[in-house]
Amino acid sequence: MTILAPIHAVLARTGLDAVILVPGANFRRVFRKDFHQMERPLEVIVPRDGTPVAIVPNLEMGSFAPIGFPGEVFDWRDETGYMDAFMAAGAALPQLRDGARIGVEGQRMRVFDLLALQKALPGAVFVDAHAEISAIRLHKLPEEIELQRKAIRLSEAALEDTLREIRVGMSETEIESLLLRNLFAHGADGLAFAPIVAAGDNAAKPHAHARADYRIKPGDALLFDFGGSCQGYSADITRTFFVKEVSDFDRAFYETVLAANAKGREVSRAGITASDVDDAVQKVLETSQFAAFRRHKTGHGLGLDIHEAPQIMRGNRQLLEPGMVFTIEPGLYRDGEAGVRIEDDVVVTESGIECLTSFPRDLRLVG
Ligand code: GLY
Ligand code: MN
Ligand code: MN
């Protein structure tokens, strides 16, 4: 079995004549190595029949050579440009011209990659096979789940340390810098994404940026959405706190989100659909007095990509199966006032789910 066995399985399942990978989560899952997606194109072309071909920027050869690519490599240098390498790769793949159907990662491949490939493989038909290719990551291996567990454990420890350091009057960016320091102190080797630390009205924006000029004050909601990583596998956790005090209205707002989160964890299990989970969660929000403040679906798959399949969304008939990891993250957002989101990461098991996140969810005052 070669390193390309998962891609050969995609070719067999889909009937495609070839699959092309560019740097990203699928590439990393296959080759166990991450490459930058930058201005220098890097492509791996895996035909159903014949020898695979890679087009690699010369400065990356020191990293590419050890991955054990079982095919022909065409490298190119900055001073000559990449087009000759594309044309040489195309000449080595005569079976991929004239009507061959080639699957590409529609959410990763850039326009300039595609234009160069179209020139190198005239007559080939390029189709978006993002979902079919990414399905190689839908069921996590035990070692992948173990890395996620590690990332979650250290992230939760970092959050607890951060909460103890928070004081009224700190800015969102000051709090963010504490969180970052604590994540790396607890052993993170990277970040899932730039953390969201958002207080007051900023918490009403689901994907807010921390502000240097806003200082937290009593009564503010204070939302953290963040995650440390371990070897590419990440936590994606949201907890919302209140600074010093909370109004009865905000408490009811919070408890509604918490009830929706609990419902999601309660209903999730193998054999139901992603749509069923979102439906159960949304109904809690829709039947509350806060229905008007909904903004998004329940969650998303979590792995080498932070937002990947399965999307936990009404209409997604994907059956949940053991080994799938996804988030349950209902939220409510009152524009200009406050927002609350509570996000957990769960893995589907034979008998239900295991909630990988364990940071307490009861309403907590900080500062
Ligand atoms: N964090 C909410 C969403 O992206 O759907
Ligand atoms: Mn999140
Ligand atoms: Mn998330």
Side-chain angles (χ1 to χ4, degrees):
M1 192 158 88
T2 81
I3 199 167
L4 294 174
I7 299 304
H8 283 293
V10 173
L11 290 166
R13 265 199 306 276
T14 58
L16 289 164
D17 295 304
V19 158
I20 302 183
L21 297 179
V22 293
N26 293 323
F27 190 109
R28 186 168 188 172
R29 176 67 180 73
V30 171
F31 295 110
R32 308 286 178 185
K33 172 91 188 140
D34 196 23
F35 284 85
H36 290 299
Q37 179 78 310
M38 56 178 164
E39 80 281 12
R40 300 181 177 99
L42 190 166
E43 327 277 329
V44 164
I45 308 173
V46 185
R48 194 184 54 228
D49 307 310
T51 306
V53 160
I55 301 164
V56 182
N58 180 269
L59 87 167
E60 296 287 36
M61 282 304 292
S63 302
F64 191 84
I67 70 175
F69 178 67
E72 200 173 352
V73 180
F74 296 90
D75 67 320
W76 61 272
R77 306 184 71 96
D78 286 348
E79 55 270 30
T80 52
Y82 55 79
M83 209 52 230
D84 285 351
F86 274 76
M87 296 312 285
L93 293 163
Q95 71 276 39
L96 297 187
R97 290 162 177 249
D98 302 327
R101 292 180 66 250
I102 300 178
V104 301
E105 302 163 283
Q107 293 177 27
R108 287 298 297 180
M109 183 171 278
R110 289 85 49 89
V111 172
F112 80 97
D113 291 288
L114 184 61
L115 292 176
L117 288 163
Q118 282 174 330
K119 208 164 168 185
L121 296 168
V125 178
F126 292 86
V127 299
D128 181 3
H130 194 95
E132 292 80 0
I133 299 169
S134 300
I136 65 173
R137 297 181 290 111
L138 201 48
H139 303 86
K140 272 57 181 179
L141 301 169
E143 56 265 35
E144 293 180 288
I145 295 170
E146 207 37 57
L147 288 169
Q148 291 185 303
R149 258 187 238 288
K150 198 171 158 197
I152 289 166
R153 269 200 301 271
L154 73 86
S155 299
E156 293 187 329
L159 178 59
E160 183 57 46
D161 283 358
T162 305
L163 292 180
R164 291 178 187 184
E165 296 177 80
I166 288 175
R167 298 289 174 265
V168 168
M170 283 182 173
S171 70
E172 291 173 345
T173 50
E174 278 169 340
I175 298 169
E176 182 187 24
S177 72
L178 294 176
L179 178 64
L180 289 169
R181 186 200 66 199
N182 290 330
L183 283 166
F184 288 104
H186 279 282
D189 63 18
L191 298 172
F193 48 85
I196 297 170
V197 177
D201 61 324
N202 211 21
K205 299 176 195 131
H207 295 160
H209 293 278
R211 301 170 293 192
D213 62 353
Y214 183 85
R215 299 192 172 276
I216 64 169
K217 61 179 193 322
D220 276 351
L222 178 58
L223 184 152
F224 294 80
D225 185 349
F226 73 104
S229 303
C230 291
Q231 296 173 44
Y233 292 89
S234 302
D236 183 9
I237 306 172
T238 308
R239 289 292 184 268
T240 310
F241 308 95
F242 284 85
V243 180
K244 289 280 188 200
E245 62 195 35
V246 61
S247 68
D248 289 345
F249 188 78
D250 276 337
R251 183 180 290 276
F253 197 63
Y254 184 93
E255 296 296 338
T256 302
V257 176
L258 182 55
N261 170 289
K263 178 58 78 175
R265 287 181 285 116
E266 178 196 318
V267 302
S268 294
R269 63 179 187 279
I272 67 169
T273 66
S275 181
D276 293 331
V277 176
D278 191 36
D279 192 53
V281 170
Q282 297 300 338
K283 276 183 179 143
V284 175
L285 302 177
E286 284 165 355
T287 57
S288 77
Q289 60 179 308
F290 303 115
F293 304 114
R294 294 160 50 243
R295 291 278 182 280
H296 56 74
K297 64 184 184 245
T298 291
H300 53 82
L302 177 65
L304 286 170
D305 267 336
I306 305 303
H307 283 232
E308 61 180 39
Q311 298 301 330
I312 308 301
M313 184 170 66
R314 277 175 171 156
N316 181 3
R317 312 309 304 171
Q318 167 77 57
L319 284 174
L320 299 182
E321 293 167 344
M324 291 182 180
V325 174
F326 60 88
T327 68
I328 296 175
E329 52 175 305
L332 290 171
Y333 308 92
R334 301 198 318 267
D335 288 342
E337 293 180 17
V340 171
R341 181 165 64 256
I342 303 172
E343 175 175 28
D344 286 290
D345 305 337
V346 305
V347 57
V348 182
T349 64
E350 297 292 340
S351 58
I353 54 158
E354 181 193 345
C355 193
L356 299 171
T357 37
S358 59
F359 201 92
R361 301 171 194 86
D362 287 343
L363 195 151
R364 178 168 168 182
L365 302 180
V366 296

